[in-house]
Structures are given as C-alpha cells and as structure tokens.
Amino acid sequence: MTKELVINMTSHETRVALLESGHIAELYIERRRERGIVGNIYKGKVIRVLPGMQAAFVDIGLEKAAFLYVADVLAEMEAVEQFVEGRSQHAEPEDGHEDEQPPLPPIEDLLQEGQELLVQVAKEPIGTKGARITSHISLPGRHLVYMPTVDHIGISRRIEDEEEKDRLRGLVEEIRPAGTGFIVRTAAEGKSSEELRSDMEFLVGLWEDIDKRREHHGAPCLIHSDLDLTSKVLRDTLTEDVNRIVVDNREEHDKIVRFLATFMPNLRYAIDFYEGDEPIFDAFGLEVEISRALGRKVWLKSGGYIIIEQTEALIAIDVNTGRFVGKHNLEDTILKTNLEAVREIAFQLRLRNLGGLVIIDFIDMEREAHREKVHAALEEVLRQDKAKTNILKISELGLVEMTRKRVRESIGRTLCEPCPYCEGKGYIKSRITTAYEIFRELQREIRQLPGYRVTLLCHPDIADLLSDEEHEGIEEIERRFQKQIAIHSRPNFHLEQYEILVG
C-alpha cells in the first residue's frame, strides 16, 4: 500500500491529508483563528468542585471552563498513580496498557476552589462541552512519550515482538531519570540507545523549561503550546511506509525539511514542492472526497449503501441493500452487503474522525455463523485504526455497539455548522402543518381582536397555500367569526413564522 502526505497551506488554514493507495484516509485541519489546543499546557485555577460528579471545573483562560475528573488529578497517592500507569493522552492511541482501576480518593480531598495547578488539554472543547484536562502531563517525542509525574515504563501494543519489547524496556530503564515515566512509541521499534537517549534528553529539557515558566506566571495562563499541525502530523503519523510528502507552500516545505533533518535524520523521504497551477487538493482529487465525507449517504460498490447520522449522544450507522439484489439467495446477499459495509464503515469512521459511542445497524442475519463472520471482519479492519476501539458482539437484532476514542472534533463539525433555518434539527414543519397551525391560532385569537378586519402575515409559500388549496379553511373562519382575513406574504419570514394583527 502506497502512502503519501499531501499538505495544503494558506495564511488562514492548513490541511494535511494522508493518502493510502491514492485515496484520502485521514484528514487534519487547523485554522489560524481556531487552532487546536490538545497538548497545550496551562496553569489553571479551580473555580468549582463537584463531589457528586467526582470532578472539578478549572479556569484555564478559555471561553468555557475546562473539566477535570478525579482520576486526572495529580496527587502523591499510590492509588492515583496506579490508576494512571501507562496513560498518555498524546502518545499514539494504541500506546501503553490499561490496568484494573483501584478506588480513587474523593475529589474534595484533592482540590479546593481557588487552588492553582498545572494541567494539559486531553480533549478539545466539543459542542457545548469545555475542554477535558489532566494534571498528568505527557510530552510526546518521535520515539518516546515523557510522563514526568508517573513512575512507569509502557510499551506500544503495536510492537508485538516480545524480545524487542524487553530490549526497549531495558534501554529506557537504564537511561531514564529516576521516578519518571516513559511510553515507548511504535516508531521506536528497532531504534538504538543513542536515538532514544536523544529523544529523552530533548523531552526532559522541555519539561524543565515548562516547570520554570510555571513558577513565574499566575493562573490562568498558557504555559506551553503543542506543535503546529504539520509538525504534529509528521511526528505522530510519519512512518517508513510513507513514500512521499507533497506541500504547496515553499516556506512550509523548507520547514518540513529542517524538521525531518532534526528529528528524523535517519529516515529518507521524497519531499516535493507542488508548483502546479491547479490547487493541490484538486490535483489529487481530494476536494471531491472531502465533500463526500460530509454527506449522510455513502454508496457501496455493490449498490448497497450506509447512512451515517451524528447526534449529540452517539453516531448511528444504518446498512441497507439499496439496489443490490444478489445472485444466489437472500442470506448471501445480506452477508455480502454487511461485509462490504464493514470495510466502508471503518474507512468512514477514520476519515470523518467520528468518535464516542457508535451504533451500527447491520441488515438482520438469521445465521449465527454470518453474524460472527461480520463481527470478526469488523474487528479485523478496526485493528488498522490508531484510535482505540471497543466492540461488543452483534445482537440478534443486528446491532453492534462500539466505542472509538474521540480527541478532536469530527470533520463534519469542523467544516459545518448547524443550519440556521432548521436550527440543526434537519427538518422543519411541513407547509400543511403550518397552515393548520395558523387556523388553530386564528380561532384562538380572532374573537379577542377588535374591528372587522384581521391581517395575517406569513411566508410566501404559506400565503399561496392559504389562498389556493386551503382557502376553504380561511373562509370557514371568516364566516364563523364574521371577520375579514387579509393574507400578506413576507419573503423574509421563516417558513414556520406568522403574525396575526388587527386591521
């Protein structure tokens, strides 16, 4: 599989696309006015402690207060330290391991209102929620993630060779500062002691600088900003199987060359400066793919399709046979459609960066063997996803419940905003419903209005409906209440908006 990084940079926006076999697999977007804050380190002030939620709100200088859960509060307690062993918000999602969670102390024993503490953003503000923060700082490098507050060594789960795991653990144990923690990243596989030491020295020096800055600044205050988007993607995504990097900005091109020479000197990549007249994303056919990633319906090659709905609570995905009728029997047709949908669902989750709770409604399968085959296929394709996933068995109704780790906003919510007309509902009242609502409102209000003449102001489509197909309803009200109703259209009215006036 050939992989490429295509980078489009302007004065207001940076977009980085990871291509696999010529098709976009992951998309990262950073806008100058909306730059992401995951990885940033702040000196914050506790503004409210919530014992009932085992959490606290912390002012870090953003519009919304950040949310700090008890497990993310740094304390010199063995239980808390055990809880966070192996955790790194900014390592690759598969890095580290999970332990059984011990009991945690009450939040009110750890934090008080007005208290200042150093925290790091683990999740962007999403929707109406503020940023999720942690006081367990983690500083990612190319090969290692430094955790100055945790005494632990973790190894990426993607490194499968046990001898290599032992070698890397021994190297890190030998050279790490006492009492500190490190996660060995996938990129460290096969690396020498000198390469790991260089990464470690840089990260330890960075932490010392952060610690000094904390002492000289009051809360709330930004202490350390994570890398810009391009550098972050290069650090976290770039591997030996990426064949080429193409960028359309000369300054960014030169910066990438310097970055790779400094942090990845042993790797050799083709770094091309794109000079074509056509915009770079158009030249690679990416704009069309991005537009398709914003749609609800995704067609499958067989003629079936999936529907993706993103709600506040969960992501709902529905699988349908569509135009696909199959060649043998119904069960085989359903199985083939579900298996094809599995690959597309995994692709769309990754491309759209959908996370949280995901419910997949596969087409009902009567045979248990078919359900197991679809479930195994879903597990297999999701192993390629760097974001952590957890999948439950397919129910008899054909439903799969799964979770996918969410750190940043989805592509849909990054590129789109709620429709101002329907207020994000995705639908409005029909013209007939609005017309009949007007009839009921007229009957309630008209007897209380003085005079003989009543004026109704409404949207032009509703005015046409009331004057034509539904004129009998208006005439009936006029006869009943002995009033004359004059209908006037207002082009600037919402379709559901209307006003009843005297005269």
Side-chain angles (χ1 to χ4, degrees):
M1 179 190 297
T2 59
K3 291 186 179 182
E4 297 174 295
L5 278 178
V6 179
I7 303 171
N8 166 228
M9 185 173 183
T10 65
S11 60
H12 53 274
E13 181 183 59
T14 300
R15 298 186 297 173
V16 182
L18 173 63
L19 273 59
E20 295 181 352
S21 300
H23 295 284
I24 186 169
E26 295 178 14
L27 178 65
Y28 304 87
I29 299 173
E30 182 175 86
R31 290 170 175 163
R32 189 174 297 275
R33 60 182 295 176
E34 302 170 352
R35 186 170 176 181
I37 61 171
V38 165
N40 286 1
I41 298 174
Y42 295 84
K43 188 173 184 179
K45 180 180 289 186
V46 178
I47 57 176
R48 191 177 178 194
V49 178
L50 306 170
M53 295 179 65
Q54 281 288 73
F57 286 112
V58 180
D59 180 11
I60 59 174
L62 303 180
E63 181 181 349
K64 298 174 184 174
F67 184 80
L68 179 63
Y69 181 59
V70 63
D72 293 315
V73 178
L74 178 61
E76 298 301 324
M77 293 184 171
E78 182 180 355
V80 177
E81 290 184 354
Q82 288 177 354
F83 182 88
V84 297
E85 281 189 353
R87 296 180 73 249
S88 171
Q89 298 292 346
H90 309 293
E92 294 165 315
E94 82 283 3
D95 288 347
H97 68 278
E98 292 183 2
D99 298 321
E100 185 178 349
Q101 298 177 5
L104 293 169
I107 187 76
E108 60 270 27
D109 290 350
L110 303 177
L111 296 176
Q112 292 81 40
E113 292 184 10
Q115 181 178 339
E116 295 184 355
L117 68 165
L118 196 69
V119 294
Q120 187 172 35
V121 176
K123 290 185 180 181
E124 299 276 2
I126 296 176
T128 59
K129 301 174 183 176
R132 173 80 179 265
I133 56 176
T134 175
S135 62
H136 303 291
I137 308 299
S138 58
L139 300 173
R142 172 62 179 165
H143 304 117
L144 302 170
V145 176
Y146 182 36
M147 300 180 297
T149 65
V150 180
D151 184 1
H152 175 75
I153 297 176
I155 308 290
S156 166
R157 285 198 292 267
R158 293 201 172 191
I159 300 177
E160 298 178 352
D161 186 277
E162 291 300 326
E163 290 187 6
E164 177 64 4
K165 285 184 177 180
D166 291 340
R167 183 187 76 88
L168 291 168
R169 184 177 283 107
L171 288 177
V172 173
E173 181 66 58
E174 181 182 334
I175 61 178
R176 70 168 174 153
T180 62
F182 284 90
I183 294 292
V184 180
R185 307 188 72 173
T186 306
E189 191 169 10
K191 302 304 178 186
S192 66
S193 175
E194 290 73 22
E195 290 173 297
L196 297 184
R197 186 187 298 274
S198 176
D199 212 20
M200 188 178 293
E201 289 175 351
F202 169 78
L203 294 173
V204 171
L206 177 61
W207 169 246
E208 290 174 351
D209 181 62
I210 291 170
D211 205 29
K212 289 176 184 175
R213 294 190 65 194
R214 166 176 57 174
E215 297 175 2
H216 297 93
H217 291 80
C221 175
L222 173 65
I223 299 296
H224 168 75
S225 291
D226 200 8
L227 298 173
D228 62 77
L229 178 65
T230 303
S231 300
K232 197 182 299 184
V233 172
L234 292 175
R235 180 194 67 196
D236 296 341
T237 304
L238 205 58
T239 55
E240 287 85 347
D241 58 352
V242 174
N243 308 96
R244 184 169 68 134
I245 301 170
V246 189
V247 57
D248 64 354
N249 180 282
R250 173 62 71 181
E251 193 175 309
E252 191 73 359
H253 171 273
D254 295 343
K255 190 185 81 173
I256 291 171
V257 171
R258 292 193 301 270
F259 183 89
L260 296 181
T262 302
F263 295 101
M264 308 174 197
N266 298 325
L267 297 180
R268 295 289 179 265
Y269 297 100
I271 308 172
D272 298 337
F273 174 55
Y274 177 78
E275 299 183 86
D277 295 330
E278 189 178 16
I280 187 170
F281 269 38
D282 288 338
F284 281 83
L286 304 184
E287 297 291 9
V288 174
E289 292 197 41
I290 294 171
S291 296
R292 200 156 44 224
L294 299 176
R296 292 175 61 249
K297 181 181 287 189
V298 179
W299 286 99
L300 306 175
K301 290 182 179 179
S302 65
Y305 62 89
I306 61 175
I307 297 291
I308 302 174
E309 295 278 5
Q310 185 175 3
T311 72
E312 190 70 24
L314 52 82
I315 309 296
I317 302 177
D318 186 34
V319 182
N320 298 276
T321 53
R323 298 190 294 261
F324 182 52
V325 295
K327 295 182 179 179
H328 302 290
N329 57 55
L330 179 61
E331 276 294 307
D332 289 341
T333 299
I334 290 173
L335 176 60
K336 183 175 180 180
T337 304
N338 283 338
L339 288 174
E340 190 177 3
V342 160
R343 294 189 293 273
E344 188 62 38
I345 289 168
F347 174 78
Q348 292 294 332
L349 288 175
R350 188 177 168 200
L351 172 59
R352 299 178 187 225
N353 193 38
L354 297 174
L357 178 61
V358 181
I359 305 295
I360 307 173
D361 183 10
F362 286 107
I363 305 169
D364 291 347
M365 295 168 284
E366 293 183 2
R367 300 179 190 173
E368 179 66 25
H370 285 185
R371 290 199 291 269
E372 291 179 356
K373 190 171 185 179
V374 170
H375 184 269
L378 183 61
E379 285 188 321
E380 179 64 29
V381 294
L382 288 175
R383 285 196 189 101
Q384 303 168 27
D385 192 341
K386 288 189 296 183
K388 181 182 176 183
T389 56
N390 181 38
I391 315 166
L392 300 184
K393 289 287 187 181
I394 299 180
S395 72
E396 293 187 5
L397 296 176
L399 296 177
V400 168
E401 296 175 63
M402 63 169 283
T403 58
R404 183 175 187 270
K405 186 174 181 180
R406 177 174 60 186
V407 174
R408 54 192 170 92
E409 282 278 26
S410 67
I411 293 300
R413 287 185 172 162
T414 299
L415 298 180
C416 304
E417 61 183 24
C419 169
Y421 204 85
C422 70
E423 297 178 339
K425 296 193 297 288
Y427 54 84
I428 59 174
K429 294 176 184 176
S430 69
R431 289 176 298 169
I432 290 293
T433 299
T434 302
Y436 291 173
E437 189 176 292
I438 288 173
F439 290 162
R440 290 190 291 273
E441 188 65 18
L442 280 169
Q443 292 180 57
R444 281 193 291 267
E445 299 290 334
I446 200 168
R447 60 163 55 93
Q448 303 171 20
L449 298 176
Y452 172 69
R453 185 180 174 86
V454 175
T455 299
L456 171 65
L457 307 179
C458 56
H459 187 277
D461 287 357
I462 303 300
D464 291 344
L465 184 65
L466 295 176
S467 301
D468 187 10
E469 299 174 41
E470 299 297 331
H471 68 93
E472 292 182 357
I474 292 291
E475 293 172 358
E476 179 184 345
I477 295 173
E478 287 179 324
R479 288 194 301 269
R480 179 179 174 186
F481 296 98
Q482 295 296 300
K483 303 270 190 180
Q484 182 184 28
I485 301 173
I487 302 172
H488 296 284
S489 64
R490 290 292 183 268
N492 62 326
F493 271 30
H494 187 285
L495 196 67
E496 299 175 359
Q497 183 182 354
Y498 57 86
E499 291 182 19
I500 301 170
L501 307 173
V502 177

